[in-house]
Amino acid sequence: MKKLTCSLKNKSMDDHFWFDVNEWLLGKISIATMDTKGVFIAICARYWQNGRQMHTDDLQQEFGKHEEELCYLNGKYLHIEGESVTIPMLDKQAETVFLTTINSEDE
């Protein structure tokens, strides 16, 4: 069996993440304000660009003036815990891509 290493430096992952139009238009996020949606997609882009790692200080520095939007998003779409920020949707997506890549190599 060939051992495969997959990281966010893999070209298939580092430059984009999947955007589900139906979820955006019909899912829970659809009831958020346009400002909140804009902050969320900007945070997602920054999170993905940074290899799915974000420190609360970085979040505060870049998005701190959007306190109302951050309060709305926290716990629903992103998690701010201690000094780290996670976005479960993107973490799950990265795991799916990683597992798919490994499985295709095993065949």
Side-chain angles (χ1 to χ4, degrees):
M1 178 184 346
K2 183 178 178 182
K3 185 175 180 181
L4 176 69
T5 303
C6 182
S7 72
L8 288 180
K9 294 301 176 195
N10 181 328
K11 188 63 176 167
S12 66
M13 288 182 61
D14 70 351
D15 60 351
H16 66 278
F17 54 86
W18 297 315
F19 181 85
D20 185 336
V21 174
N22 288 329
E23 184 66 28
W24 188 257
L25 295 174
L26 304 172
K28 293 184 292 183
I29 192 74
S30 68
I31 63 171
T33 66
M34 291 302 286
D35 287 342
T36 300
K37 290 178 190 178
V39 169
F40 179 59
I41 200 71
I43 291 170
C44 286
R46 179 68 64 212
Y47 183 76
W48 193 261
Q49 180 187 44
N50 291 336
R52 296 179 8 254
Q53 295 185 20
M54 183 177 282
H55 194 278
T56 53
D57 290 345
D58 298 328
L59 181 74
Q60 185 63 34
Q61 181 177 353
E62 190 165 352
F63 301 101
K65 63 184 175 186
H66 301 284
E67 187 174 335
E68 184 177 329
E69 290 83 1
L70 290 174
C71 287
Y72 178 84
L73 294 168
N74 187 26
K76 291 182 177 88
Y77 307 100
L78 56 91
H79 298 279
I80 303 170
E81 296 178 16
E83 296 182 351
S84 67
V85 178
T86 58
I87 303 175
M89 168 193 77
L90 293 179
D91 293 339
K92 182 178 178 183
Q93 186 179 126
E95 289 171 12
T96 301
V97 170
F98 178 74
L99 291 174
T100 301
T101 303
I102 288 175
N103 289 337
S104 68
E105 286 293 321
D106 287 342
E107 296 173 356

